[in-house]
């Protein structure tokens, strides 16, 4: 069994298969999993507990929210108990890879998958290239593309029925004196408004003591001139007063996702998961939780096929796609549509006015309510009054 990509989805799938005693090889193009650790990595506490992750992958816990809106006014929501966590993305990838090795699997870093070829006997030959330029072929019964938005093996999906929505972002890891860090500890902070980050948002998330994640992201609109991310990041640092922090790491990336998730989930003995099948959520920018969910949906289906020696690849891909759609649910699909309209529409004074009105309505909510809205997509809690502002049709 070959899994391409040692991110949350690929690492979790390889771990699940290794736990079941399946011979699995996990490969990743990065020679060091500390590199390119781009993910804001915030998630609700319930999601963290459901995934069963260890404390060593935690960056921090948080119990409060604060949002800066277009009017340059901070609004806060506090709760007495932890509502969620911020993961250390690099530590998560390391832990998953170590678990695979501990369970008898093979982990090969610094190897990229170039192509795979289906054989007459139902096996697959995948061509790998090392970061030194060496080529090697790997034979396996199944190959899983967990390479994220790169879609290294599964491709862009010629049969997909909805377009890829593209977003870009960058994030810096800052070190600050303890007294400055305390201002941002124990809370998720977002900056919203077209004057700050047009067609996107900025964030400040706490990590271990003295460390903050500060970043910006936006959706890309073809044919529209948009400011460079570096310019938006510098604006965010000035706005938050964090320009004096020492930059320990700079990383960035992009997300490409289809709102209706019409990506091919498989092609013969090649399957895909995580961002390769558009599990990245456009509204809140969440990817880790859903990538790992896709792995947990696929793992038992693959195990059943392997143990029963089935070669019904098309049937497995259909079952997997249905099961994943069911697990994500209608709220996830609605949140994707809202995310596209909300962020792409945040580009002018009229949109800022709608957003400011909506933020005012949220002031009557609790921190728990806000978490349910942004992480569980409990839109009905706010009734028909809030949806028009999310959809961009309110006053």
């Amino acid at each position: 069994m070959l899994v391409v990509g040692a991110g949350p989805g690929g690492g979790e799938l390889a771990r699940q298969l290794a736990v079941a005693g399946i011979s699995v090889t996990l490969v990743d193009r990065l020679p060091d999993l500390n590199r390119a650790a781009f993910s804001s990595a915030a998630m609700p506490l319930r999601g963290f507990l459901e995934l069963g992750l260890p404390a060593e992958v935690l960056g921090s816990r948080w119990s409060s929210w604060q949002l800066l809106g277009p009017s340059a006014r901070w609004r806060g929501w506090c709760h007495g108990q932890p509502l969620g966590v911020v993961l250390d993305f690099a530590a998560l990838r390391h832990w998953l890879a170590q678990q695979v090795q501990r369970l008898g699997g093979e982990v090969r870093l610094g190897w990229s998958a170039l192509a795979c070829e289906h054989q007459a006997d139902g096996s697959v030959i995948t061509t790998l290239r090392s970061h030194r330029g060496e080529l090697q072929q790997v034979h396996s019964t199944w190959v899983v593309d967990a390479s994220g938005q790169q879609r290294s093996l599964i491709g862009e999906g010629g049969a997909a029925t909805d377009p890829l929505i593209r977003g870009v972002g960058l994030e810096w890891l800052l070190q600050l004196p303890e007294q400055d860090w305390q201002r941002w500890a124990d809370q998720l902070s977002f900056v919203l408004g077209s004057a700050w980050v047009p067609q996107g948002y900025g964030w400040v998330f706490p990590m271990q003591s003295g460390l903050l994640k500060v970043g910006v992201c936006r959706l890309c609109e073809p044919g529209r001139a948009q400011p460079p991310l570096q310019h938006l990041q510098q604006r965010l640092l000035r706005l938050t007063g964090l320009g004096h922090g020492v930059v320990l790491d700079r990383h960035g990336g992009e997300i490409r996702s289809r709102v209706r998730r019409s990506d091919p989930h498989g092609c013969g003995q090649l399957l895909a998961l995580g961002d390769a099948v558009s599990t990245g959520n456009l509204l809140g920018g969440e990817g880790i939780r859903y990538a790992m969910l896709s792995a947990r949906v696929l793992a038992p289906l693959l195990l059943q096929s392997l143990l029963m020696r089935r070669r019904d690849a098309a049937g497995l891909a259909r079952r997997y796609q249905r099961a994943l759609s069911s697990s994500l649910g209608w709220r996830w699909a609605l949140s994707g549509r809202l995310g596209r309209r909300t962020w792409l529409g945040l580009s002018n004074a009229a949109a800022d006015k709608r957003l400011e009105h909506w933020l005012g309505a949220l002031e009557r909510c609790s921190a728990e309510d806000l978490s349910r809205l942004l992480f569980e997509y409990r839109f009905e809690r706010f009734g028909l009054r809030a949806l028009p502002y999310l959809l961009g049709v309110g006053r």
Side-chain angles (χ1 to χ4, degrees):
M1 182 76 205
L2 176 65
V3 180
V4 177
E12 176 64 7
L13 179 67
R15 184 175 78 96
Q16 293 283 333
L17 295 175
V19 166
I22 301 299
S23 176
V24 59
T25 298
L26 176 65
V27 303
D28 197 276
R29 64 184 179 84
L30 294 175
D32 180 0
L33 293 179
N34 284 312
R35 291 170 50 184
F38 177 64
S39 175
S40 53
M43 70 171 57
L45 183 61
R46 189 176 76 171
F48 175 76
L49 295 175
E50 287 175 349
L51 290 172
L53 298 174
E56 66 195 76
V57 307
L58 270 181
S60 67
R61 291 178 173 84
W62 53 269
S63 60
S64 304
W65 296 84
Q66 64 170 355
L67 306 181
L68 179 72
S71 66
R73 174 190 163 202
W74 285 101
R75 292 176 170 90
W77 294 259
C78 299
H79 189 64
Q81 299 296 324
L83 291 172
V85 302
V86 179
L87 299 181
D88 184 324
F89 188 59
L92 173 64
R93 292 194 298 192
H94 273 290
W95 180 78
L96 289 169
Q98 289 167 356
Q99 289 294 300
V100 172
Q101 290 178 312
R102 186 180 66 81
L103 292 163
E106 181 185 11
V107 177
R108 299 176 61 179
L109 301 181
W111 289 85
S112 301
L114 302 181
C116 62
E117 181 179 347
H118 291 80
Q119 305 300 298
D121 64 357
S123 65
V124 188
I125 297 178
T126 304
T127 302
L128 304 178
R129 181 177 61 203
S130 77
H131 63 285
R132 302 186 191 90
E134 309 162 77
L135 294 179
Q136 193 170 106
Q137 291 187 325
V138 176
H139 293 248
S140 60
T141 306
W142 292 92
V143 179
V144 176
D145 185 348
S147 62
Q149 58 82 25
Q150 294 175 338
R151 295 167 166 83
S152 299
L153 296 177
I154 201 70
E156 298 293 352
T161 57
D162 59 321
L164 276 170
I165 307 299
R166 179 171 170 261
V168 293
L170 64 81
E171 183 179 71
W172 292 358
L173 182 65
L174 297 184
Q175 184 177 48
L176 296 105
E178 180 72 17
Q179 64 270 21
D180 296 333
W181 176 80
Q182 284 291 344
R183 157 75 176 83
W184 306 93
D186 194 40
Q187 59 189 333
L188 298 186
S189 304
F190 288 93
V191 173
L192 310 172
S194 66
W196 321 129
V197 185
Q199 297 185 298
Y201 56 91
W203 65 87
V204 180
F205 289 176
M207 291 291 285
Q208 294 88 349
S209 179
L211 300 179
L212 295 176
K213 287 184 173 184
V214 182
V216 292
C217 68
R218 59 168 168 77
L219 294 190
C220 300
E221 187 173 7
R224 181 189 182 97
Q226 294 177 302
L229 291 177
Q230 286 283 353
H231 174 73
L232 298 177
Q233 178 78 334
Q234 292 296 339
R235 182 186 295 173
L236 178 62
L237 291 173
R238 289 193 300 270
L239 189 64
T240 55
L242 293 172
H244 66 290
V246 177
V247 182
L248 300 181
D249 188 31
R250 293 179 172 89
H251 41 254
E254 68 177 63
I255 180 173
R256 293 187 294 167
S257 190
R258 301 182 197 273
V259 172
R260 295 198 298 273
R261 294 191 55 256
S262 62
D263 312 83
H265 286 47
C267 178
Q269 305 298 116
L270 168 65
L271 299 166
L273 81 165
D275 285 350
V277 291
S278 296
T279 58
N281 190 276
L282 294 174
L283 180 60
E286 251 198 299
I288 292 176
R289 206 168 27 134
Y290 299 117
M292 296 185 75
L293 171 65
S294 69
R296 294 191 175 195
V297 169
L298 178 57
L301 298 174
L302 260 178
L303 286 171
Q304 183 182 49
S305 177
L306 288 166
L307 294 175
M308 299 183 70
R309 300 183 183 278
R310 289 182 179 175
R311 293 297 176 93
D312 181 16
L316 189 151
R318 285 194 299 271
R319 292 193 299 276
Y320 166 45
Q321 187 165 8
R322 286 196 300 267
L324 182 55
S325 294
S326 176
S327 295
L328 292 170
W330 67 268
R331 294 178 191 279
W332 188 96
L334 174 60
S335 72
R337 295 196 294 273
L338 291 174
R340 178 177 59 182
R341 299 188 71 172
T342 298
W343 301 127
L344 284 179
L346 190 57
S347 60
N348 52 46
D352 284 340
K353 184 178 180 180
R354 287 194 299 268
L355 176 60
E356 193 66 36
H357 190 96
W358 181 55
L359 292 176
L362 288 178
E363 287 183 355
R364 298 188 289 272
C365 302
S366 68
E368 288 178 293
D369 289 335
L370 194 57
S371 290
R372 292 189 187 104
L373 172 65
L374 297 178
F375 284 120
E376 299 176 24
Y377 317 118
R378 297 284 174 176
F379 306 109
E380 71 277 11
R381 164 66 181 80
F382 303 91
L384 297 177
R385 182 179 57 190
L387 283 179
Y389 303 105
L390 283 169
L391 291 168
V393 297
R395 53 182 172 161

